[in-house]
């Protein structure tokens, strides 16, 4: 009876956990507070608000570093209508088409901005497997662009409104080449020259961005580099019920002792908690569930990071994030290079930390990360062996059951002893049924006399709950499992079963497990609850990712086989069903 109660408590606990996740997403306070500038920042080393151009038709680099509310409003009033390119002059530049093994993208020579980025081989949805997902796009409703440039002490510097020149309209990564350079050039009458270069790498979503500067003006030229992502919160990749995916900004913040920590802020809370910090190292990123756009300055350079609301005309709720670098003076007849790194693509865990320290933390498994990461590691290696994520989940379930075999045997032995005590417990119920306190006291005396712990069989179930929740986070957060097919009707393990077959199988297997323990004494109310429980949980699991339900169905089937095998051993020892019924 104690095992039954514990099972009910575990089921209620799981339901409460997922309801809490839904509440946490929609209503809970945010984790981050507004961050002040570092104490060691020198005001003269960084671009202030009035150092950066502020044009109504396009976002600027300076207002994120601390402009007034009035300036913010003025900077976002003018834009084009929904469905058109945002900004009255944005579409006037030359469009440069770039194709690599990972990207199909468009760079606009006006500003040298990333205007459209399709992720080749990454489907927009399971219903449209042949349509590439367009992560960056310069039209509403899913407006998302990456801008960059230089700002100087005067207006004589190429920013995101400057028109560059490109020698070609088409660039393609050739077979046998590992990198592709796309240069854009700018010059003026005073002798300033800038070559803005995007460098793309084979089999990688990392993009190198550099501004190669030559000063032939005869006077020193002081410049800073900036990068800014600007977007609307338009979800284009679907979501899992009961826990809305994170959509906002993440950054790697330096602490006083020199270490770093990952922090994030949802887009809806940036108005109250804008991000503003100056530090050496780190990065800042736009995060959209499985996908990320990250700006990573050189690790040994200080930069001012920012994130705040910035509406797009025709769509409210827009926000921007990025960084502004320190000033650097280029002497007359000298050259310099401003470098940074972008990462635009899916949060593939084998690439993120190789691009920048801590970038892999954007794959957020929550408070069970310590367990979820090893589970994903095992899953990934099993997938490398069998080539199917569904089969890998089944094999993972086998491994987990093997690890917990001794605990399960302890559980079933405890249940067998409970059945052996069932007639004596029934006698106590008949004798003290009207006095609950007396009944509990007598049962405890019986347990103590026989050396029996009624909760001994609960530990295997308790241990499996963190594994169950961790696997939920792995399926929900790992882009590697996004739209991963299993077989037959299951073509997306990260989405619910479209025909509810797996939830039904789960309910049936749970019912069969209960039938194997019917000798445990239960009152009529408990029996009714146990009869309803498989149906209720099957309905609840209908909204879970199919991969998670596949794990639990496999676990139930293995538990039934394991229970049958162990009961045969217990019968041979005189502790099983036969002994209980004799």
């Amino acid at each position: 009876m104690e095992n039954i109660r514990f099972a009910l408590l575990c089921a209620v606990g799981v339901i409460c956990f997922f309801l809490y996740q839904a509440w946490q997403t929609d209503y809970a306070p945010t984790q981050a507070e507004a961050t002040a500038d570092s104490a060691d920042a020198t005001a003269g080393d960084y671009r202030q608000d009035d150092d950066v151009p502020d044009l109504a038709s396009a976002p600027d680099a300076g207002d994120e570093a601390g402009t007034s509310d009035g300036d913010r409003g003025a900077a976002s009033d003018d834009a084009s209508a929904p469905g058109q390119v945002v900004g009255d002059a944005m579409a006037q530049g030359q469009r440069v088409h770039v194709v690599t093994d990972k990207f199909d993208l468009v760079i606009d020579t006006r500003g040298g901005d990333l205007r459209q980025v399709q992720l080749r081989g990454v489907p927009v949805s399971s219903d449209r497997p042949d349509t590439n997902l367009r992560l960056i796009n310069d039209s509403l409703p899913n407006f998302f662009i990456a801008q960059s440039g230089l700002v100087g002490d005067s207006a004589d510097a190429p920013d995101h409104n400057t028109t560059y020149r490109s020698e070609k309209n088409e660039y393609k990564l050739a077979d046998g080449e590992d990198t592709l350079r796309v240069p854009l050039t700018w010059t003026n009458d005073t002798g300033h020259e800038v070559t803005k270069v995007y460098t793309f790498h084979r089999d990688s979503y990392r993009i190198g961005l550099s501004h190669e500067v030559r000063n032939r003006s005869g006077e020193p030229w002081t410049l800073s580099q900036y990068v800014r992502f600007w977007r609307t919160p338009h979800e284009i990749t679907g979501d899992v019920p009961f826990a809305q995916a994170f959509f906002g900004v993440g950054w790697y913040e330096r602490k006083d002792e020199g270490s770093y920590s990952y922090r994030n802020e949802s887009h809806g809370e940036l108005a109250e908690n804008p991000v503003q910090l100056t530090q050496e190292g780190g990065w800042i990123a736009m995060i959209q569930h499985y996908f990320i756009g990250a700006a990573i300055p050189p690790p040994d350079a200080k930069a001012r990071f920012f994130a705040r609301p910035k509406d797009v005309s025709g769509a409210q709720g827009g926000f921007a994030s990025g960084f502004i670098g320190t000033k650097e003076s280029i002497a007359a007849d000298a050259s310099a290079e401003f470098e940074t790194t972008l990462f635009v693509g899916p949060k593939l865990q084998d690439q993120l930390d190789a691009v920048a320290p801590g970038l892999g933390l954007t794959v957020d498994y929550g408070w069970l990360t310590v367990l979820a990461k090893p589970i994903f590691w095992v899953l990934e290696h099993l997938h490398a062996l069998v080539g199917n994520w569904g089969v890998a989940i089944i094999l993972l379930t086998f491994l987990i059951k093997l690890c917990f075999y001794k605990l399960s045997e302890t559980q079933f032995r405890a249940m067998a002893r409970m059945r052996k005590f069932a007639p004596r417990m029934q006698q106590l119920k008949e004798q003290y049924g009207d006095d609950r306190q007396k009944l509990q006291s007598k049962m405890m005396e019986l347990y103590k006399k026989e050396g029996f712990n009624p909760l001994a069989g609960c530990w295997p179930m308790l241990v499996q709950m963190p594994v169950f929740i961790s696997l939920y986070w792995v399926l929900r957060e790992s882009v590697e499992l996004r739209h991963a097919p299993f077989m037959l009707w299951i073509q997306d393990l990260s989405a619910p079963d479209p025909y509810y077959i797996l939830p039904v199988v789960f309910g049936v297997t749970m019912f069969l497990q209960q039938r194997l323990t019917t000798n445990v004494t239960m009152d009529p109310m408990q029996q009714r609850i146990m009869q309803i429980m498989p149906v209720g949980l099957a309905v609840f699991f209908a909204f879970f990712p199919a991969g998670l339900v596949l794990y639990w169905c496999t676990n139930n089937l293995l538990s039934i086989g394991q229970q049958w095998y162990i009961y045969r051993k217990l019968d041979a020892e005189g502790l099983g069903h036969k002994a209980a019924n004799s």
Side-chain angles (χ1 to χ4, degrees), residues 365-376:
Y365 292 134
W367 56 278
L368 281 174
T369 297
V370 67
L371 190 56
K373 278 188 174 294
I375 286 177
F376 176 79

Side-chain angles (χ1 to χ4, degrees), residues 205-218:
Y205 294 97
R206 176 170 61 93
I207 303 173
L209 172 62
S210 66
H211 289 82
E212 300 170 358
V213 178
R214 287 168 292 279
N215 181 13
R216 298 175 180 173
S217 66

Side-chain angles (χ1 to χ4, degrees), residues 307-425:
R308 69 163 182 84
K310 189 171 183 66
D311 286 342
V312 180
S313 181
Q316 295 183 346
F319 58 110
S321 69
F323 75 87
I324 305 170
T326 57
K327 295 179 181 180
E328 183 175 338
S329 181
I330 298 93
D333 298 321
S335 300
E337 185 173 6
F338 296 85
E339 292 185 295
T340 191
T341 300
L342 307 178
F343 187 93
V344 180
K347 296 190 291 185
L348 295 172
Q349 298 177 55
D350 61 346
Q351 291 192 21
L352 293 175
D353 283 326
V355 173
L359 197 60
L361 296 174
T362 56
V363 183
D364 190 359
Y365 292 134
W367 56 278
L368 281 174
T369 297
V370 67
L371 190 56
K373 278 188 174 294
I375 286 177
F376 176 79
W377 184 85
V378 174
L379 263 181
E380 192 174 34
H381 282 74
L382 291 174
H383 175 260
L385 290 175
V386 299
N388 185 294
W389 285 105
V391 176
I393 290 173
I394 293 174
L395 294 177
L396 173 70
T397 314
F398 270 93
L399 292 177
I400 293 173
K401 293 299 289 185
L402 184 63
C403 292
F404 294 153
Y405 176 81
K406 284 298 181 182
L407 280 175
S408 297
E409 186 175 14
T410 300
Q411 177 187 21
F412 295 138
R413 285 183 176 275
M415 293 169 65
R417 295 194 68 184
M418 180 70 78
R419 282 193 299 272
K420 188 174 182 180
F421 293 142
R424 297 169 66 180
M425 292 170 62

Side-chain angles (χ1 to χ4, degrees), residues 32 35 249-253 261-265 275 277 283-285:
T35 307
V249 176
W251 67 96
Y252 206 40
E253 183 172 330
S261 64
Y262 171 65
R263 301 183 69 185
N264 58 36
E265 189 74 81
V275 178
L277 68 152
W283 45 262
I284 194 164

